[in-house]
Amino acid sequence: MLNGILGSAAAGLITTLGAFFVFFKKEYNKNLERIFIGFAAGIMLAASIFSLLLPSIEKSNVYLSSLGFLKGAFAVYILDKVIVKYYFKKENKEDVEINKIALFILAIIIHNFPEGLAVGIAFYQDSFSAALALALGIAIQNIPEGSAVAFSLIKLNYSRVKIVMVTTLTGLAEPVGAVIGLIFRNVPLYLPFMMAFAAGSMVYVIISELIPEFFRDEKDRKIGSIAVIIGFIIMMLMDSINF
């Protein structure tokens, strides 16, 4: 159990490495924004399919996974409509931007939770080498996720140190997930349901908040679409590698 918690914590904290890229960029470029939003969308989409939804179906059945997927999407919809918009009223352009960033970071946190849950349970029930490989794979894909979160926060004029701190906090959802996963490890179908739940939450954010960013003009659409494809391929390759 201790290995599971430590393994998920290490994988989550790797998110911080991606945030350090902001120290090498003094000014925020709109094209860079499109690239990172698209890259994050591609990674999230591939992770939703290959790392969460398909394993959920394999561990349970398509009906349970569909239910979890629907509940995940609905949960983020409610958070978007009720909680996020309660604090960030859409009264001006800045508030709209804050709302999008908040929802994006929320999706990353929701995504990290079942990843930590999976690592924690893997260390508990699988061989150490298999669990270590899973943790390493998750850690690698957390690096570009950390970069996406960090560069989205530049628009809020956060200091570099604060950006790194916030990005690190998103990764800490993984050890929390590991602890909860180990507590409820004997509940039937708990893990596959939560994996599908995370997939639904991410797909909702991709469709409602990230992809619309690419349709402001023709140039944005091309840059964003290419970044989505690259991010998707990279995450798909990461998921297929046996460490």
Side-chain angles (χ1 to χ4, degrees), residues 50-243:
F50 300 109
S51 300
L52 295 172
L53 191 57
L54 291 180
S56 171
I57 295 173
E58 291 176 359
K59 292 177 181 293
S60 58
N61 57 71
V62 68
Y63 304 106
L64 179 74
S65 298
S66 297
L67 180 62
F69 188 90
L70 179 63
K71 285 185 175 293
F74 185 70
V76 178
Y77 171 80
I78 294 299
L79 288 170
D80 181 28
K81 295 296 182 182
V82 179
I83 300 178
V84 176
K85 291 182 181 178
Y86 175 78
Y87 289 105
F88 306 116
K89 304 292 185 181
K90 290 191 174 182
E91 296 175 353
N92 54 58
K93 184 178 180 180
E94 181 180 357
D95 290 330
V96 173
E97 204 65 55
I98 291 174
N99 183 68
K100 290 180 179 179
I101 293 171
L103 190 60
F104 169 66
I105 294 176
L106 177 64
I108 294 293
I109 293 173
I110 294 174
H111 159 58
N112 285 340
F113 177 83
E115 284 187 349
L117 186 149
V119 171
I121 292 179
F123 273 100
Y124 180 79
Q125 65 182 12
D126 295 338
S127 67
F128 181 83
S129 59
L132 187 62
L134 175 63
L136 180 58
I138 290 175
I140 291 174
Q141 63 98 17
N142 277 344
I143 296 175
E145 280 186 4
S147 295
V149 171
F151 276 90
S152 70
L153 291 172
I154 288 182
K155 291 183 290 185
L156 301 184
N157 295 320
Y158 279 24
S159 68
R160 272 26 179 198
V161 174
K162 190 172 183 180
I163 288 173
V164 171
M165 291 176 61
V166 173
T167 305
T168 301
L169 289 176
T170 65
L172 291 180
E174 295 203 8
V176 173
V179 171
I180 295 177
L182 289 168
I183 292 174
F184 295 99
R185 61 188 180 276
N186 294 321
V187 177
L189 302 177
Y190 178 77
L191 177 58
F193 179 85
M194 289 305 300
M195 294 172 75
F197 183 95
S201 68
M202 286 200 294
V203 170
Y204 176 86
V205 172
I206 292 168
I207 294 172
S208 66
E209 298 294 338
L210 300 186
I211 291 179
E213 287 287 322
F214 309 149
F215 291 93
R216 294 182 178 179
D217 57 51
E218 186 69 22
K219 185 177 180 181
D220 289 346
R221 184 159 59 248
K222 290 180 179 179
I223 293 174
S225 299
I226 293 172
V228 170
I229 293 171
I230 293 174
F232 187 94
I233 292 174
I234 289 176
M235 185 62 228
M236 181 172 60
L237 292 174
M238 285 182 179
D239 190 72
S240 65
I241 294 174
N242 294 318
F243 295 94

